[in-house]
Amino acid sequence: MDEHTGGRGAVMGPQPDPGELIVGRGAELARLSRAVDSVSADPVLMLVGDMGTGKSALLEHAMHRAEAGGARVLRAQGSESESSLAFSALHQLLRPVAAEVDALPDRQRAALQDAFGEGPATPGPDLMLVGVAVLSLLSGLGDHHPVLVVLDDTQWFDRASLDALSFAARRLEGEPVTLLIGARDGDRLPPGFDRHVPVLTLGPLDRAAAHQLLDLQPKSPTGHTRSRILDQAGGNPLALLELTRTASAQDTAAGLPSAGPLPLTDHLERIFAARLKTLPASTMRALLLLAAMDSADPAIAVSAGLPRAEDAAWLPAGQAGLVRQTGRDIRFRHPLVRSAVYHAASLSAQREAHLALAETLRAEPDRRAWHLAAACPHPDAAVSAELERTAGRARRRGGHAAAAQALQRAAELAPQREDSARLLIEAAAAAVFTGDITWVEELVAAARTRTDDATLLASAAVQAGRLAVLTVRHTRVFSRLADAAETLTASQPAAGLDLLAGAAVVRFYSGDDTQRHRIQDIQRRLPEHPSHASMRTWVTAVSDPFDNRPHLVSLLPRLAAEAQDRPERLTTLGIMAWLLDETPQAVRAFDEAFDRWEVQGALPEGLGGAVAWAYLERGRWEQAREACARTTAVGRAAGLDHAVACAATVDATLLAFQGDASSARTRAEDALTLIDPLESRSVAVYAHRALGAAAAAEGAYETAYGQLRLVFTADGAPVHYHASYPALADLTAAAVRCGRHEEAALIVERSASALADNASPRLRALISRARGLLADPQEAEAHFRAALADPVLEHWPLERAQTLLDLAEWLRRRRRITEARGPLTEALATFRRLGARPWIERARTEARAAGLDATDTPPDALAGLSPQQQQIIRLAARGLTNREIGETLFLSPRTISSHLYRSFPKLGITTRSQLRDLIENTHTTTGRQE
């Protein structure tokens, strides 16, 4: 065999015998071989096919090939019964590397221990840190050998495990790690792996391959029997083998299932069930226990009281082709065998099996609770309470899907309808954090059929609305939230206001002005109450921040006092302050909230993008990128495209400011593909602003103007009531460079008139800058001076530096070169400190024309790095280790090391110890970062 090497390490050696007969899958085998041999550029590959198409056999082949080449192989196999146990699949995967888990950094090790329920009681694991721990572990294993991770039957993986594994999977580029995923076709693809993951689909075998497979059987069928087998199997490899086995055992085709509409799965289950009739009672009991347990983890099998692999009870089952021995454990040959065994048993036998398992699993309270539930033919308050406790444990470990499943089953077993309704609403509250709005709505609908209690029904509506706000279905969601809020205005005003708060967030995302009027109408009809004041302020600030802005700003100090020591309130305060262009106060609130809020929520908060925007505006670009990374990771894991799109627009804008125009365009275009621009005007506006900034960075001002013009309507009105206005100065700057003065002037003056006395100091400064750019030369200075007059504008360093540069250019052209040097020097220092490379170049050119020394300084060395490399360099200069930097930026230590290795030559240094001096010299020259 040829020897191959690649970016993820080399796996080589002779072709292994996978232990399974694989026919007709040459192309698929070649694709898998390239993956494990590291020829493929894709570190993740998903194998999708119907039941019985051979996914597990192909994955087994890949595992043997990798092991023969010296790779470390980790495998987890999903099981239906454990899909409701949080982190069970991840625990199974990492059990063989427990020693390596213990060697992880303290925070990462503790996060995994929390997730597995092994550590001390905590409020819950940081789910992002769990993902970082998995990534670090896999990367560390790759230091010694290439690593192959095989995830089979992922349709039965618990959601918490999938979230952690998908988080790591998206960051495997450059790592010696390959991830192969097996999933059943027809089911929804595993969350987190359903976008941008290469998929290899297993279809039916063609007629020639089907004949070949039959020819290779010990008793190859012939004649009419072969024709019937081929017709009924439909190219499914498992069906071909099992139908042949049945025909051979009976020496006749009479016992084959008749042709007809019976599904293939039912055909196969009947075939397997027919083999059970002659088995001894001890074998049947062992099989039923194995089927009821449904765990691929041998450690659980032993504790559950199953006969050991060498027990004689298994021999008849093995001879019948129902089970196989793998190491020291017994497994069904196929999930259909498990299903056939389980459903062939009587209800009383199934119940007895589950009760027996529950008795032996007293040390495993969560598994025990589910077996007790499976044994319940009728409602049972005690078992319902056990499941509710299981849900509590799952929730503390961050297993929101597992908690929701346990609560849903607890509701089914609750004897009292009111208890059932309460549990369903709690299930909906947990399911919110999975991002699965259909499930949430089903749970809420079920709760409504079980109760007339107004408080519970209001709570149900709030839970459904909480997640709906984060989806992309803004028009539909707004109507539903507003209707529910209107219905509850009299009977449940607090719940009605909560729903209206969600509707206000949807109004922000959509930018639909008719929604503002509806919100105002409903809010007028809500009764006043002192405890509702903060929420009312939120509704107004989010839905219409520039209507009576001075009054809203005057309320912020009181809200800040009420929010002390309450991170969720501080976050809300920060968002409102950002909306009102009180960015310094917003950043202070976010800083304090994050210092106190060690465990981040499992979903992005409504308007969570405000955090990244505030840090970007304030000039704290590293933290803006970190906020984007967290929102992206959480949004992708929960399947919330809108949250991912929001983060992408901030990221794109920042990349454009740093001069990486190509990456900025990619991120902005990604955002636009995730949303409907008519449904999500805010995201569309942010994306076009980013695309305009990217074009301006390259000097393509006509293109920049075209993108920024889309931020306003044809008649010059803002497309979005908040997101459009900050683009006024950038639009004008592009307009004057491509001869669009008159059109830009109309837009600027229309916006100034619309804002009037409600314009923030920031917006007044941007309007003044725009007027200065558009004014006749003799009138421009007054406008530029007005844009710089208020000291508070220093809190928007990029915007202030841009205005300083405009003033300096105007002064130099008026031959007032001495006066120009002051603002020019200040502008250049700010651009260098921020790493705004396009603006550095423009300011440097102007500085040389003004007779200033514009020699490169250390910041320009940093400016030669990518934005991510700049972040890594700054964190390394602060003394953080590669692992600590990886935790901060959600990257593996290997990726951090690679970036540092590539960055050092560009910076002219050779050791890590030189970084501090480099950064300190940068700050000495240009001033400290905001």
Side-chain angles (χ1 to χ4, degrees):
M1 177 176 293
D2 291 338
E3 190 170 304
H4 301 292
T5 60
R8 298 196 304 283
V11 178
M12 48 203 169
Q15 178 80 14
D17 178 5
E20 294 282 352
L21 192 62
I22 301 177
V23 172
R25 300 295 190 199
E28 292 86 348
L29 284 169
R31 181 68 179 86
L32 287 172
S33 296
R34 289 197 300 273
V36 299
D37 291 349
S38 301
V39 174
S40 170
D42 299 315
V44 183
L45 178 64
M46 185 178 298
L47 194 61
V48 173
D50 289 331
M51 185 177 289
T53 51
K55 298 183 297 297
S56 295
L58 287 167
L59 292 173
E60 193 82 22
H61 174 94
M63 289 170 58
H64 281 287
R65 183 184 183 94
E67 287 173 337
R72 181 70 178 268
V73 177
L74 298 177
R75 179 183 185 179
Q77 185 167 7
S79 64
E80 191 171 6
S81 67
E82 294 194 3
S83 62
S84 56
L85 299 176
F87 292 109
S88 58
L90 185 63
H91 193 211
Q92 180 193 154
L93 181 76
L94 301 186
R95 188 190 294 275
V97 290
E100 287 84 350
V101 170
D102 290 341
L104 286 172
D106 291 345
R107 291 181 66 238
Q108 295 180 29
R109 183 181 65 252
L112 281 178
Q113 289 174 339
D114 287 349
F116 297 154
E118 297 171 351
T122 65
D126 183 332
L127 300 183
M128 295 300 100
L129 195 55
V130 172
V132 170
V134 174
L135 179 62
S136 295
L137 181 65
L138 296 178
S139 179
L141 291 171
D143 289 339
H144 308 289
H145 306 280
V147 178
L148 176 65
V149 178
V150 176
L151 310 178
D152 198 7
D153 285 329
T154 52
Q155 70 275 3
W156 288 327
F157 273 35
D158 64 279
R159 178 61 182 269
S161 294
L162 284 172
D163 288 348
L165 290 166
S166 64
F167 177 96
R170 286 190 295 273
R171 292 160 176 80
L172 290 179
E173 186 175 356
E175 300 289 342
V177 180
T178 299
L179 180 61
L180 300 181
I181 306 164
R184 189 180 297 171
D185 198 12
D187 293 324
R188 189 173 66 174
L189 293 179
F193 293 106
D194 53 0
R195 186 182 294 275
H196 307 311
V197 174
V199 174
L200 181 60
T201 301
L202 296 182
L205 295 180
D206 60 28
R207 198 75 171 180
H211 275 293
Q212 182 185 359
L213 184 58
L214 294 181
D215 289 340
L216 291 170
Q217 302 312 301
K219 291 186 179 180
S220 179
T222 59
H224 182 58
T225 299
R226 172 176 283 234
S227 297
R228 290 191 63 194
I229 289 172
L230 290 169
D231 290 342
Q232 291 188 33
N236 183 286
L238 180 66
L240 287 163
L241 294 176
E242 299 307 328
L243 289 168
T244 298
R245 187 189 297 266
T246 298
S248 298
Q250 298 177 359
D251 288 325
T252 174
L256 291 177
S258 61
L262 193 64
L264 179 60
T265 300
D266 290 345
H267 275 324
L268 292 172
E269 281 196 7
R270 289 187 181 186
I271 291 170
F272 292 129
R275 297 178 197 164
L276 302 174
K277 297 177 182 178
T278 60
L279 297 179
S282 60
T283 301
M284 283 300 302
R285 183 180 184 279
L287 286 172
L288 181 55
L289 281 174
L290 182 62
M293 186 190 69
D294 183 35
S295 174
D297 194 329
I300 302 301
V302 171
S303 65
L306 282 176
R308 295 187 177 275
E310 61 271 16
D311 195 291
W314 296 116
L315 184 58
Q319 292 172 341
L322 300 174
V323 297
R324 63 179 176 181
Q325 183 173 347
T326 304
R328 294 184 177 181
D329 67 305
I330 295 291
R331 296 185 181 183
F332 287 115
R333 285 190 58 243
H334 195 275
L336 282 177
V337 181
R338 181 253 173 189
S339 181
V341 168
Y342 188 79
H343 292 292
S346 65
L347 292 177
S348 61
Q350 292 173 3
R351 184 170 182 271
E352 288 174 8
H354 285 295
L355 288 173
L357 290 168
E359 183 63 28
T360 59
L361 288 170
R362 288 187 175 275
E364 299 269 353
D366 295 336
R367 288 185 171 87
R368 181 175 184 273
W370 278 104
H371 283 297
L372 288 173
C376 277
H378 307 293
D380 187 309
V383 177
S384 178
E386 285 284 343
L387 283 169
E388 190 172 359
R389 286 189 283 273
T390 287
R393 288 189 289 269
R395 198 153 30 195
R396 285 191 295 275
R397 292 159 56 194
H400 301 288
Q405 288 170 327
L407 288 165
Q408 186 174 13
R409 181 63 175 137
E412 294 169 356
L413 294 175
Q416 302 298 320
R417 290 176 63 83
E418 288 299 311
D419 287 337
S420 178
R422 174 185 60 80
L423 290 166
L424 283 168
I425 292 168
E426 290 183 19
V432 160
F433 293 103
T434 69
D436 190 340
I437 190 167
T438 301
W439 187 16
V440 172
E441 290 172 341
E442 288 172 354
L443 291 167
V444 169
R448 291 190 181 117
T449 66
R450 288 167 169 80
T451 184
D452 296 324
D453 184 285
T455 301
L456 283 176
L457 291 173
S459 178
V462 168
Q463 294 304 335
R466 186 180 181 192
L467 178 56
V469 164
L470 298 173
T471 70
V472 296
R473 298 147 44 180
H474 298 317
T475 301
R476 175 182 167 188
V477 166
F478 179 86
S479 296
R480 192 168 60 208
L481 291 173
D483 290 347
E486 197 165 32
T487 301
L488 295 171
T489 51
S491 62
Q492 298 285 327
L497 188 55
D498 202 335
L499 289 164
L500 195 62
V505 174
V506 177
R507 141 75 172 159
F508 180 90
Y509 287 145
S510 72
D512 187 339
D513 208 45
T514 61
Q515 295 175 357
R516 173 175 63 91
H517 300 301
R518 180 107 192 263
I519 289 170
Q520 291 172 338
D521 181 58
I522 295 171
Q523 191 165 20
R524 279 194 295 268
R525 284 186 279 154
L526 281 165
E528 297 278 355
H529 193 279
S531 64
H532 299 167
S534 296
M535 189 67 79
R536 282 179 167 274
T537 304
W538 166 268
V539 170
T540 303
V542 172
S543 60
D544 198 355
F546 297 126
D547 181 19
N548 200 7
R549 176 185 174 277
H551 173 67
L552 292 172
V553 171
S554 72
L555 299 176
L556 292 179
R558 176 178 61 80
L559 295 175
E562 294 173 355
Q564 284 186 349
D565 301 323
R566 300 182 64 178
E568 70 285 359
R569 286 265 190 110
L570 285 166
T571 302
T572 300
L573 171 69
I575 293 171
M576 284 193 289
W578 173 75
L579 287 165
L580 295 168
D581 269 343
E582 295 293 314
T583 301
Q585 184 165 354
V587 167
R588 287 195 300 272
F590 292 142
D591 284 346
E592 188 176 351
F594 298 150
D595 286 344
R596 298 177 183 274
W597 206 347
E598 295 182 358
V599 179
Q600 299 294 313
L603 281 183
E605 293 296 319
L607 286 176
V611 177
W613 278 116
Y615 282 130
L616 184 150
E617 292 169 6
R618 188 72 176 84
R620 289 165 55 171
W621 290 1
E622 289 178 34
Q623 286 160 292
R625 294 297 299 273
E626 291 169 19
C628 289
R630 178 171 288 275
T631 299
T632 299
V634 175
R636 281 178 174 163
L640 297 173
D641 286 349
H642 195 268
V644 175
C646 289
T649 59
V650 188
D651 217 11
T653 303
L654 184 48
L655 287 165
F657 289 163
Q658 292 176 320
D660 191 348
S662 177
S663 296
R665 277 192 293 272
T666 297
R667 294 290 280 144
E669 288 162 2
D670 285 346
L672 289 172
T673 64
L674 291 172
I675 55 99
D676 178 347
L678 297 179
E679 285 275 293
S680 301
R681 291 180 180 85
S682 61
V683 173
V685 166
Y686 291 138
H688 288 301
R689 281 172 50 184
L691 290 169
E698 295 177 320
Y701 294 111
E702 187 76 45
T703 300
Y705 181 77
Q707 290 292 342
L708 294 168
R709 184 63 183 84
L710 295 174
V711 170
F712 296 87
T713 64
D715 59 358
V719 168
H720 188 274
Y721 62 95
H722 185 273
S724 291
Y725 288 126
L728 283 168
D730 291 336
L731 176 141
T732 304
V736 298
R737 285 169 173 79
C738 60
R740 305 295 185 92
H741 291 69
E742 291 184 8
E743 191 174 24
L746 288 173
I747 294 172
V748 170
E749 295 310 318
R750 175 164 181 161
S751 295
S753 177
L755 290 166
D757 295 336
N758 287 315
S760 65
R762 177 202 182 192
L763 290 183
R764 285 199 296 271
L766 290 175
I767 290 170
S768 293
R769 179 190 169 208
R771 284 170 169 165
L773 291 167
L774 293 166
D776 292 336
Q778 62 273 20
E779 299 173 358
E781 182 177 9
H783 294 298
F784 291 137
R785 299 286 185 191
L788 297 166
D790 194 332
V792 75
L793 299 174
E794 293 179 359
H795 296 303
W796 290 268
L798 180 65
E799 292 172 6
R800 175 178 169 80
Q802 289 170 326
T803 306
L804 285 167
L805 180 57
D806 289 334
L807 174 61
E809 288 176 339
W810 182 87
L811 288 169
R812 185 184 65 79
R813 291 189 178 107
R814 306 299 291 176
R815 302 187 182 280
R816 295 161 60 180
I817 293 175
T818 301
E819 293 178 69
R821 289 171 179 166
L824 186 54
T825 300
E826 184 181 349
L828 182 56
T830 299
F831 294 142
R832 282 173 165 163
R833 171 170 49 78
L834 293 174
R837 282 182 284 178
W839 292 93
I840 292 171
E841 292 303 319
R842 181 174 155 188
R844 186 186 292 130
T845 299
E846 189 64 27
R848 284 194 290 266
L852 291 172
D853 182 7
T855 305
D856 284 352
T857 57
D860 287 333
L862 287 183
L865 305 179
S866 72
Q868 189 173 71
Q869 287 172 336
Q870 291 181 40
Q871 286 181 286
I872 292 169
I873 289 295
R874 290 192 176 99
L875 292 171
R878 284 160 45 186
L880 274 68
T881 66
N882 287 359
R883 287 191 182 277
E884 291 170 333
I885 297 170
E887 286 184 12
T888 301
L889 301 181
F890 310 115
L891 298 170
S892 75
R894 183 187 305 277
T895 300
I896 301 301
S897 177
S898 176
H899 279 300
L900 288 171
Y901 178 79
R902 293 198 299 268
S903 299
F904 279 13
K906 297 178 184 178
L907 298 173
I909 61 175
T910 56
T911 66
R912 198 181 189 110
S913 61
Q914 295 173 278
L915 286 174
R916 171 179 280 184
D917 290 341
L918 176 72
I919 299 300
E920 286 185 351
N921 289 340
T922 297
H923 286 177
T924 299
T925 304
T926 63
R928 294 280 175 183
Q929 183 162 332
E930 293 289 325

